[in-house]
Amino acid sequence: MTVIVVANPKGGVGKSTLATNVAGYLARRGHQVMLGDADIQQSSSAWLGMRPADARPIQSWDASSSDELRPPKGISHVVIDTPGGLHGKQIKEVLKRADKLLIPLQPSPFDMLATRAFVADLQERRRAAGLDIAVVGMRVDQRTLSSENLRDFCEGLGLPVLGYLRDTQNYIRLAMRGLTLFDVPPGQVAKDLEQWQLICDWLEA
């Protein structure tokens, strides 16, 4: 079983958007997927509640409890959506569970400062040394100075950057229906799927 954690201590960076679409991709690939929600707001769980019955199945798990991860038999992938303000013991618990750690990051100086501190904390933790950690830029407008600043910042983190996802209503419209990019005909979201290629490769590696 592979456990993929989506984490950043800064709130509002797109963790739930990234986590749900990761789960949607894995489900489309035929994997048995569970989406764990460790956020007290339970955004990912609420999204699952809106998911159509005929969509590829993704099981729900309330990961906000301190119980050990014991998924049902047959689950091959678990995606965990974590809360903002992640720190201390919570980070330790997340790292204990994770095989892969995905860090979403927006082109905001506040987000970059929080992420720099988070990455520095990870680098000091022995358990993180064996993790496959990567960054994804969220809500990025390639035409802006902030986008250029984000690229420069990411280069300095010393972590692989899997992509810069554009700011589009596609994610919002689909989320309101309990869907992801990977639940609709590819032609409807072709530009976005192109930006996901490296993320998908990383998930399958």
Side-chain angles (χ1 to χ4, degrees):
M1 184 183 70
T2 300
V3 179
I4 301 155
V5 173
V6 179
N8 190 319
K10 179 73 170 60
V13 295
K15 290 187 290 289
S16 294
T17 295
L18 191 57
T20 53
N21 277 273
V22 165
Y25 167 74
L26 293 169
R28 192 192 74 173
R29 293 285 292 167
H31 299 298
Q32 301 301 308
V33 183
M34 175 177 279
L35 179 58
D37 198 337
D39 192 339
I40 193 171
Q41 294 181 357
Q42 294 288 289
S43 299
S44 291
S45 293
W47 173 82
L48 276 176
M50 296 184 289
R51 193 161 173 79
D54 60 351
R56 294 172 181 85
I58 298 172
Q59 295 195 45
S60 177
W61 173 56
D62 180 1
S64 60
S65 71
S66 59
D67 296 336
E68 289 187 19
L69 177 55
R70 294 177 181 172
K73 187 176 181 180
I75 292 295
S76 61
H77 290 74
V78 175
V79 181
I80 301 179
D81 184 11
T82 61
L86 195 70
H87 67 284
K89 185 179 179 181
Q90 289 177 310
I91 294 179
K92 182 179 179 181
E93 290 300 313
V94 162
L95 297 181
K96 188 190 301 183
R97 294 168 171 168
D99 296 302
K100 292 175 177 280
L101 179 62
L102 205 50
I103 304 175
L105 173 60
Q106 287 192 102
S108 153
F110 303 109
D111 292 4
M112 288 187 273
L113 285 171
T115 301
R116 179 183 286 123
F118 179 51
V119 170
D121 189 5
L122 288 176
Q123 290 171 341
E124 293 177 0
R125 294 176 181 271
R126 187 185 309 169
R127 176 66 183 87
L131 284 183
D132 192 355
I133 304 175
V135 177
V136 175
M138 304 292 291
R139 303 180 186 129
V140 178
D141 185 341
Q142 304 284 4
R143 302 164 297 180
T144 62
L145 178 60
S146 62
S147 168
E148 188 175 324
N149 291 339
L150 178 63
R151 289 178 182 276
D152 291 342
F153 173 80
C154 287
E155 287 179 7
L157 283 179
L159 295 173
V161 181
L162 302 180
Y164 297 91
L165 307 183
R166 68 188 185 124
D167 188 6
T168 171
Q169 291 293 304
N170 284 343
Y171 291 104
I172 297 171
R173 283 194 293 264
L174 291 169
M176 291 176 66
R177 297 159 51 200
L179 299 173
T180 72
L181 298 175
F182 305 98
D183 294 306
V184 297
Q188 293 182 14
V189 290
K191 190 170 183 179
D192 299 302
L193 292 177
E194 287 179 12
Q195 297 182 331
W196 269 79
Q197 189 55 59
L198 286 179
I199 302 173
C200 295
D201 292 345
W202 180 84
L203 291 170
E204 296 281 14

